Amino acid sequence: MTFEHSNYIFKVEWSPSRPTVFAAASGNGEVYIYDLIKNKKEPVYTFAGDDEKSNIKSALTFRYNKVQKDLIAVAYSGCSIKICQMGQTLYTPGKEEQSTLNSLSTFDK
């Protein structure tokens, strides 16, 4: 599986609570959230960049909150941090999610 973007991707990380959800921080300041059960090609949600004073900065990194699972912190190149809230479907695991992820895998065994 390959996901194409027109900007640099600085970080990708799997969700700590949903095995089929991952996020990607991009050079255009956006953080893309993918849910492989809902859409295998496009992000299901995008957090807008830090556009304070119309000066878009790169999203360099992010961190899922492992205690309050609906929050994600994003660090931007302009020395700012933004706390974003995800919808419940992005952090509440579904039935047999791990087996769905295993079936999507294209790795040679």
Side-chain angles (χ1 to χ4, degrees):
M1 231 177 251
T2 302
F3 302 89
E4 299 291 332
H5 288 278
S6 59
N7 286 285
Y8 289 109
I9 298 297
F10 292 106
K11 179 179 179 174
V12 175
E13 183 177 320
W14 290 103
S15 164
S17 59
R18 293 247 349 254
T20 59
V21 171
F22 68 93
S26 73
N28 68 355
E30 296 180 330
V31 174
Y32 305 108
I33 308 291
Y34 289 86
D35 182 341
L36 298 178
I37 289 178
K38 291 186 178 185
N39 190 323
K40 293 175 184 65
K41 299 203 183 271
E42 301 291 327
V44 295
Y45 191 81
T46 301
F47 290 115
D50 183 17
D51 57 356
E52 184 178 314
K53 300 178 186 173
S54 299
N55 185 15
I56 297 198
K57 303 166 187 88
S58 296
L60 298 177
T61 190
F62 58 87
R63 177 70 52 109
Y64 286 97
N65 185 320
K66 292 181 176 142
V67 176
Q68 190 166 336
K69 298 182 185 309
D70 64 331
L71 298 180
I72 187 169
V74 183
Y76 294 92
S77 60
C79 302
S80 62
I81 298 171
K82 187 177 185 180
I83 306 297
C84 304
Q85 188 171 26
M86 297 183 292
Q88 185 175 2
T89 60
L90 293 174
Y91 64 88
T92 304
K95 292 181 180 179
E96 299 186 29
E97 197 161 340
Q98 186 63 50
S99 64
T100 300
L101 181 62
N102 292 343
S103 71
L104 295 173
S105 172
T106 58
F107 300 112
D108 292 329
K109 295 183 181 183

